Amino acid sequence: MDYLFSYLILASIFVILGLSTNLLVGVVGIFSVSQAAIFGVGAYTVGYALSNDIMGFVPALALAAVVCLVLNVLITLPSLRVSGDYFVVTSFGIQLLATAAFTNWDAITGGASGMAGIPTADLFGLPIDTSLKTLILTACVACLACFAFRLVMRSPFGRLLMALREDELAVAAAGRQVLRAKVEAAALAGVFAGVAGGLYAVYLSFIDPSTFDLDASVLLLTMVVLGGARTLAGSIVGPFVVVALPQLLSLIDLPTAIAASARQGIYGVLLVAFMLFRPQGLMGRKI
Amino acid sequence: MTLSHMPPRYLAATSAHFDDPTRRLVLGMVAGLAGLGLAGRAMAADGTPIRLGGILPLTGPDASVGIQQQRGLRFGVSQINAAGGVAGRPLDILYEDDEGRPDQAVISFNKLVSLQGVPLIFSAFSGPTLAMAPLATRKKIVLVNGGAQADRLAKASPYLFNTIPVAGDEIAVLAKYLASVGKKTAGILYEDDAGGTSGRDDFVRAFQKVGGKIIAREPVSFGQTDYRPSLLKIASVKPDVLFVMLSDGLGPLADQIHQMKPAFTIVGTSFFNDPAALHNPGSDGWLHTQVQIKAPPAVATAFQKMFNVEMEFWGAQYANAVFIMAKAIEKVLSQGKPITGENIHDAIFSIQTFDVMLPAIFRTNTAVMEIDIMQIKDGHHHLVQEFKAD
Amino acid sequence: MASDQTYLSVKSMSKRFGGLQALNDCTFSIDSGKIICLVGPNGAGKTTIFNAITGFLKLDQGSVFFRGNGLTGIGPQKIVRAGIARTFQNLRLFGDLTALENVASAVPNQFGEEPLGALFRPIHTARSQRKTRETARGILEEVGLADQAEAFVRNLSYGEQKLLCIARVLATGAELLLLDEPTSGLSGDALEKVMVLLRRLRDEGRSQLVVEHNTRVVQQIADEVLFLHQGHLMAQGTPEAIMADPKLAEIYFGGAL
C-alpha cells in the first residue's frame, strides 16, 4: 500500500505544480524554465520554518505561498520586455541563479547536502504522520487546486489569459492591461508552486538543490506538454504518467546488463514518438 | 593487499551463466511462485532466493556512476552465488532506478519494501539515501550506502550503514600527513555538490587544525571536464598542495595537469583510485588517502571477464558491500532467525569486524577501514604510509 | 488649444523610424458621425497614424486631441476607454478562441477578469459572464455572424474573419472606430456586406476613420477623404473632389513625385 500511496502523494504534488506551470507556460505562453526554482523556494521556506520550529505547518505553507507569489511575479516581469524565445534565456539564468542560491546559502538551505529531517506536517495539532494521512492531505489540496484552475479557466480572467498568449497587441487594443494580467497569472502560478513545494518538503522530509534544478524544470515542462497544455485534464494526467514512467519502465523485463541504458533509450524514444504522433499531448489542445 | 583478505570460495566465480537472461527469468519465476514478499522471510534453507533491493541512478545525469555501482552489486552477487549462495540460498537483487532523484527513491523504496518485502536495500548518492533514511528507520529496513561520503550520512538513521568511511575520516588522515611533511598552504578544487562541499569543509577544518592555511577554493560542476581556468587561478596563489574532491573527471584533470605542470602537489582521497587518472602520466606524484579498496588481482580479473571493463572504485565498493551484507545475513540464518532488517542490523553489530575482500569494522553505522597514504608513480599506487583504523 | 467642437484633431505629428520619416508634420481634424477614408500610396503613413492615435506608438513630436482632451502619452487601454478603438490590417484575432469569445474579450467592465473575483466570487463571475456573452452574441448578430458564434476563428472564412474584427472593435463600445483596411482581400458578396455594415454603423452614430485602398469602395462609403503622402496631409475633401484632382491621381496611381 505504501508504494501506491507514495506514488499517489508525489503525483498529486506534481499535479499542483503542473497546474502552476500549465497556467504560466500553457495558458499565458510565458515560456519559463525556472518553475522548479519557485517550487524549491516553497519547499525550503516550509522546510526551514518547520525545522527551526518557527511556526506550524499551516502558517508555513501560507508563508511559502506568499513568498512564491512575490518571487514568481518578480521573475516573470522580464517577460513583459523580452518575449518568447528570449525569455527562455532569461528564465534559464534565473534557474541557475536559484540553484546557486540553494547550493551556497548554507545557513538557510543546508547547502549542497540539503536539508534533512524536516518534521512532518500537522493540521492545527493533528499530526499528518502516516502515508494515508499525507495522501489525504495532498489529494485534498490537489483537488482544491484543480477546482481553482477550472474556475479560472472558465472565467473572463481565463479567457483574457488565453487571448494574451495569442496576441498581446490585440489584448491591449481591446482595452486590457497586459502587464496587470501577466502579473496576476504569475502570482497565481507562484501560489500553486509554493504550496506544492511545501507539501513536497514535509512528505519527503529531505530536500536538496538537485531536486529543484534545471532538470526538474524541464521534467515539469515534460509533464505539462505530455499531459496536454492548457487543459485541466492534461495537468492531471501528465504528472501521473511522468512520475510513473520510471516505475513502468522497470516492469519491462530486460537483462540487467542492458536494462539501464535500454530504459534510458526507451524513455527518450517514447517522448519523441509521443510528440510526433500526439503533439497536443494526451489530453490537450494543440499549442 | 593479499589474497588472504578474500575467502577462497569467492574466487571460484565464473560469471557467464549469470549473464544469461533466460536463467534470470526462470529464477524470477521460481521466486514468484514461491510467493511474492514471503521469500525474504522464509527460514528454511530450501534454495529460495534471498531478495534484496538496489536503488540506483540507472538513468539520468548520475547514471554513469550508478551503472558502475550496479556492476559492483551484480559482481558481488555472482561471486556469492557461484560459491553456493548464503547458507545454500542464492542472493538476488531487485534493481530500481531512482534517476538520482530523492522522490523517485522514496517511491522505489516503498515498492521494494511493501510489494517485494525486501529487508535490505543498497543505495547510492547522498540525496536519495537521506530521503530514504527516515523510512528505513520507521520500517526497520537496512539501507546500505556503499558510495556516498557526505558526513551527514553517518547519523541519518540507525538502519543506514555506510560501508565506506565518510570523507571526514580520510581527510583527517590526509591533513595529518600533509602537516607531517611540511605542507603549509593549500588550494581546494571541489565538485559543487553534496559530496564535494562536504569534503571541502572537512578539509578546511582538518587542515586548519594541523596549522595549515587554505588560500584558494574553486568549485566546479559535476560532469565538467575543463578545469584549466580554475587551475590557473589556483596556480596564481602558489599553494603547496591542491586538494581535489571530484567524483568524476580525474582523467581530464590529469591531462590538464600534465600540460600545465604546476608547482603544487595534487592530493585527494580514495576517489583517486580511478583507472582513467592512474593511466595518465599527468597523475604522476599525486598523493592520496586510500581506504583499502583495491580488489585482489584474481577478483579484479574475474570482474573484468564479466563486464569487459576494469574494476574501478565503485565496482569494488559495491561488490564489497554485498560481501559484508552476505556475512550478516548468513549469521541471521545461522541463528535460525528470519531475515528481517532488524535482525540484519543486529547481526552487523554483533559481527562488527568483517574480514571480507576489503576488511571493514562497524563500531558505529559507518565502517572503519584501514586508511593508507598512497602516491601514484608510473601508473601504480605506492604505499607511502599506513594509518591504522580510527 | 483645440476647441470643444473639434471631434478628433491631430497636430504636427512627426515620427521617424531610422532613416524613414514615416510622419512629417501631419495635421488634420475630423468631425463626428462620418466615415472618413484615409488614402494614399503605400508608405504614406496611414497605419502609423493609427498606431499614434491609439497609443501603440510614441510620437517624436505632435499631439492628438479627442473631444478636446489630449491623448498624447496615454496607453492603449485608456484610449479605448476614452472611446477610440482600432482593428489591425493583419486581423490579430485570437485563433484558438471561438468567434463569440473573441468578441467577449473586448466587452468592457466584466466581473471576474482578475483572479480574486474569479476564484472567490464564482457565482457573480458566472452571472457577469452570461451577460457578457449575451452582449457579444448581440454584436455578432449585428455583423451577421450569429450562426458562427461557437466556431473557432481558424475555421472561419476570410470574409467572416474580417467581419469578426469589426465585431470585436464594436464590443469595446468605442464611439470612434479606426478600421485598418476592413475590405482588403474581399470581393463580391463579402465586400458588399462589409460596406453595408460600415454605412449602417455610421447611421447608428459610430464615427469611422478607415484606411482604404480600393477607390471604388472609397467612393461608395466615404463622406470625406484625407489624402496622405510621405507622412504629410496633401488634401482633404469630398471623395469626388479628391478623385478628380489629376495631381493626386498621379501620386496615387503613378507613384511619381
Side-chain angles (χ1 to χ4, degrees):
Chain A
M1 277 322 257
D2 278 342
Y3 169 43
L4 187 64
F5 285 172
S6 56
Y7 165 66
L8 292 175
I9 290 166
L10 282 166
S12 21
I13 291 173
F14 279 104
V15 165
I16 305 169
L17 195 54
L19 288 171
S20 158
T21 309
N22 205 346
L23 195 65
L24 215 55
V25 179
V27 178
V28 192
I30 299 174
F31 204 86
S32 160
V33 292
S34 54
Q35 284 308 290
I38 298 296
F39 176 50
V41 170
Y44 277 111
T45 306
V46 169
Y48 186 80
L50 294 191
S51 297
N52 295 286
D53 217 2
I54 295 169
M55 56 182 89
F57 173 66
V58 177
L61 202 62
L63 177 69
V66 172
V67 170
C68 291
L69 180 156
V70 174
L71 215 60
N72 207 34
V73 167
L74 288 180
I75 69 170
T76 314
L77 281 181
S79 79
L80 295 165
R81 296 227 157 269
V82 294
S83 57
D85 330 0
Y86 300 103
F87 183 70
V88 175
V89 179
T90 314
S91 117
F92 177 65
I94 288 165
Q95 173 68 56
L96 295 186
L97 215 64
T99 301
F102 295 153
T103 311
N104 294 304
W105 197 7
D106 290 29
I108 300 288
T109 64
S113 50
M115 192 185 274
I118 298 166
T120 49
D122 71 282
L123 282 184
F124 310 106
L126 172 75
I128 309 293
D129 50 3
T130 66
S131 299
L132 182 61
K133 285 187 199 164
T134 313
L135 175 60
I136 293 171
L137 173 70
T138 51
C140 284
V141 178
C143 285
L144 217 61
C146 287
F147 183 62
F149 186 82
R150 192 181 146 92
L151 278 182
V152 163
M153 289 311 291
R154 300 192 142 208
S155 73
F157 180 55
R159 188 186 56 223
L160 174 61
L161 297 183
M162 298 276 277
L164 206 56
R165 183 193 67 255
E166 295 206 46
D167 201 321
E168 289 183 19
L169 277 185
V171 168
R176 267 57 180 179
Q177 294 198 32
V178 172
L179 169 72
R180 190 181 147 175
K182 278 193 176 180
V183 164
E184 286 165 347
L188 195 59
V191 168
F192 280 20
V195 168
L199 291 171
Y200 185 90
V202 288
Y203 175 57
L204 276 201
S205 86
F206 170 80
I207 49 177
D208 72 346
S210 75
T211 311
F212 313 110
D213 62 5
L214 187 67
D215 285 330
S217 277
V218 173
L219 192 75
L220 206 54
L221 285 173
T222 310
M223 290 180 189
V224 170
V225 174
L226 198 87
R230 302 208 289 289
T231 61
L232 175 58
S235 309
I236 297 170
V237 171
F240 269 88
V241 170
V242 173
V243 174
L245 257 188
Q247 305 292 324
L248 291 175
L249 286 175
S250 73
L251 291 179
I252 305 172
D253 201 9
L254 293 163
T256 313
I258 60 153
S261 40
R263 281 199 191 106
Q264 181 102 310
I266 293 171
Y267 196 113
V269 168
L270 270 182
L271 287 184
V272 172
F274 194 80
M275 285 297 107
L276 279 177
F277 296 111
R278 206 171 160 77
Q280 71 273 42
L282 284 167
M283 315 295 289
R285 299 200 215 164
K286 79 169 185 27
I287 290 197
Chain B
M1 172 72 73
T2 65
L3 283 181
S4 68
H5 288 307
M6 187 69 193
R9 60 190 172 112
Y10 291 159
L11 298 177
T14 58
S15 52
H17 63 271
F18 278 96
D19 265 341
D20 178 2
T22 323
R23 189 188 146 89
R24 284 191 60 81
L25 202 64
V26 171
L27 260 180
M29 281 162 64
V30 170
L33 290 174
L36 279 179
L38 296 175
R41 290 183 196 117
M43 283 168 67
D46 52 5
T48 48
I50 298 166
R51 302 186 137 199
L52 308 176
I55 299 177
L56 306 168
L58 299 176
T59 60
D62 299 325
S64 63
V65 173
I67 288 166
Q68 290 178 18
Q69 293 166 335
Q70 191 188 28
R71 269 193 221 120
L73 293 180
R74 292 176 59 211
F75 178 75
V77 167
S78 78
Q79 296 278 304
I80 300 273
N81 288 348
V86 179
R89 294 173 56 182
L91 276 186
D92 187 21
I93 295 183
L94 303 168
Y95 294 101
E96 288 291 327
D97 176 15
D98 65 8
E99 303 178 320
R101 296 173 55 85
D103 46 15
Q104 282 291 346
V106 166
I107 296 185
S108 296
F109 180 97
N110 283 322
K111 179 181 184 183
L112 287 174
V113 172
S114 65
L115 293 190
Q116 307 288 353
V118 304
L120 180 150
I121 291 171
F122 294 95
S123 76
F125 285 88
S126 48
T129 306
L130 286 169
M132 288 186 280
L135 292 176
T137 312
R138 206 177 315 154
K139 302 195 168 174
K140 300 194 163 81
I141 300 296
V142 171
L143 207 53
V144 182
N145 156 45
Q149 282 187 293
D151 290 345
R152 187 179 291 172
L153 291 162
K155 293 193 174 85
S157 160
Y159 280 84
L160 169 60
F161 289 92
N162 304 293
T163 56
I164 180 170
V166 287
D169 295 355
E170 277 191 63
I171 289 168
V173 168
L174 179 67
K176 236 180 267 172
Y177 172 77
L178 292 177
S180 75
V181 294
K183 306 285 187 192
K184 294 213 159 43
T185 55
I188 305 177
L189 182 73
Y190 63 98
E191 216 161 71
D192 198 4
D193 61 11
T197 50
S198 143
R200 170 200 67 192
D201 296 343
D202 284 334
F203 187 77
V204 171
R205 220 173 299 127
F207 198 58
Q208 282 171 349
K209 200 171 146 196
V210 295
K213 206 171 152 207
I214 308 294
I215 54 177
R217 299 170 196 215
E218 283 294 316
V220 297
S221 41
F222 179 83
Q224 184 177 335
T225 50
D226 186 1
Y227 306 109
R228 279 169 295 200
S230 303
L231 290 174
L232 285 173
K233 261 200 249 173
I234 292 164
S236 70
V237 296
K238 299 192 175 65
D240 294 336
V241 297
L242 172 62
F243 174 70
V244 173
M245 194 73 187
L246 302 178
S247 65
D248 201 14
L250 288 172
L253 177 70
D255 250 345
Q256 289 153 27
I257 292 285
H258 189 56
Q259 290 163 14
M260 248 179 83
K261 303 209 185 331
F264 50 75
T265 311
I266 309 288
V267 302
T269 62
S270 294
F271 285 117
F272 278 15
N273 199 288
D274 177 352
L278 197 60
H279 297 159
N280 193 304
S283 68
D284 225 44
W286 291 13
L287 281 170
H288 64 101
T289 51
Q290 173 132 314
V291 283
Q292 295 205 340
I293 58 155
K294 192 108 179 103
V299 179
T301 311
F303 186 95
Q304 176 129 27
K305 210 171 138 201
M306 183 165 169
F307 298 110
N308 239 338
V309 293
E310 220 172 310
M311 190 175 202
E312 29 49 67
F313 180 79
W314 303 111
Q317 270 307 316
Y318 275 80
N320 201 53
V322 173
F323 297 150
I324 292 171
M325 294 307 146
K327 283 251 181 201
I329 293 170
E330 199 171 23
K331 167 129 192 172
V332 171
L333 286 175
S334 75
Q335 291 168 333
K337 291 188 194 161
I339 309 173
T340 63
E342 204 170 3
N343 290 337
I344 297 173
H345 166 272
D346 296 345
I348 293 171
F349 283 124
S350 84
I351 298 174
Q352 212 177 78
T353 303
F354 288 82
D355 192 21
V356 290
M357 179 172 84
L358 317 170
I361 302 167
F362 285 92
R363 285 196 202 93
T364 65
N365 282 55
T366 301
V368 176
M369 289 180 161
E370 190 181 303
I371 295 169
D372 298 335
I373 298 287
M374 308 289 283
Q375 184 160 39
I376 301 177
K377 269 265 179 299
D378 308 320
H380 294 282
H381 301 277
H382 293 276
L383 181 67
V384 177
Q385 197 173 337
E386 260 179 50
F387 281 82
K388 272 293 155 208
D390 301 85
Chain C
M1 286 276 124
S3 75
D4 278 5
Q5 277 77 10
T6 320
Y7 187 56
L8 177 80
S9 75
V10 163
K11 306 221 159 161
S12 318
M13 286 203 302
S14 290
K15 178 74 190 179
R16 175 176 279 279
F17 296 113
L20 176 79
Q21 189 73 42
L23 290 178
N24 187 7
D25 195 25
C26 184
T27 302
F28 64 85
S29 58
I30 61 171
D31 296 328
S32 66
K34 288 184 178 172
I35 295 180
I36 291 145
C37 282
L38 211 52
V39 302
N42 280 331
K46 300 175 300 262
T47 299
T48 310
I49 288 181
F50 270 26
N51 288 339
I53 295 175
T54 51
F56 283 92
L57 187 70
K58 228 174 159 179
L59 285 169
D60 296 337
Q61 200 193 315
S63 45
V64 181
F65 292 89
F66 182 58
R67 292 187 174 283
N69 300 314
L71 295 184
T72 324
I74 295 180
Q77 297 87 16
K78 283 191 180 153
I79 290 173
V80 173
R81 232 172 294 155
I84 305 178
R86 68 172 296 182
T87 66
F88 295 90
Q89 201 176 326
N90 51 350
L91 312 190
R92 292 191 173 271
L93 289 165
F94 307 122
D96 269 357
L97 303 186
T98 62
L100 188 77
E101 287 170 324
N102 264 273
V103 178
S105 70
V107 174
N109 302 323
Q110 300 182 37
F111 187 85
E113 215 176 46
E114 36 73 49
L116 291 182
L119 286 175
F120 296 110
R121 297 191 62 191
I123 297 167
H124 195 56
T125 300
R127 204 179 301 140
S128 154
Q129 177 93 311
R130 267 198 301 280
K131 227 174 75 195
T132 303
R133 291 173 72 88
E134 268 165 40
T135 310
R137 206 174 285 279
I139 293 167
L140 281 176
E141 244 160 59
E142 205 177 334
V143 303
L145 280 179
D147 52 335
Q148 298 283 17
E150 299 304 330
F152 286 99
V153 165
R154 54 187 134 80
N155 299 330
L156 296 181
S157 73
Y158 188 65
E160 289 168 332
Q161 294 191 6
K162 289 288 231 191
L163 287 170
L164 186 57
C165 285
I166 297 171
R168 192 170 63 175
V169 79
L170 284 175
T172 61
E175 51 175 295
L176 171 60
L177 310 181
L178 271 53
L179 308 177
D180 202 345
E181 304 199 16
T183 67
S184 69
L186 300 182
S187 60
D189 279 356
L191 178 62
E192 200 57 41
K193 249 190 196 163
V194 171
M195 289 198 294
V196 169
L197 174 64
L198 295 187
R199 280 195 297 256
R200 199 179 70 226
L201 289 172
R202 175 198 53 201
D203 297 343
E204 289 167 11
R206 304 260 198 169
S207 315
Q208 294 157 48
L209 190 58
V210 182
V211 171
E212 186 52 71
H213 278 295
N214 186 332
T215 49
R216 193 175 65 85
V217 174
V218 172
Q219 275 169 325
Q220 290 198 34
I221 64 170
D223 299 308
E224 199 176 339
V225 173
L226 301 174
F227 193 100
L228 232 61
H229 183 46
Q230 293 181 340
H232 192 75
L233 183 75
M234 296 250 338
Q236 180 165 9
T238 62
E240 294 75 23
I242 299 286
M243 298 291 169
D245 188 330
K247 207 176 83 195
L248 297 179
E250 200 188 330
I251 293 172
Y252 195 70
F253 296 108
L257 210 98

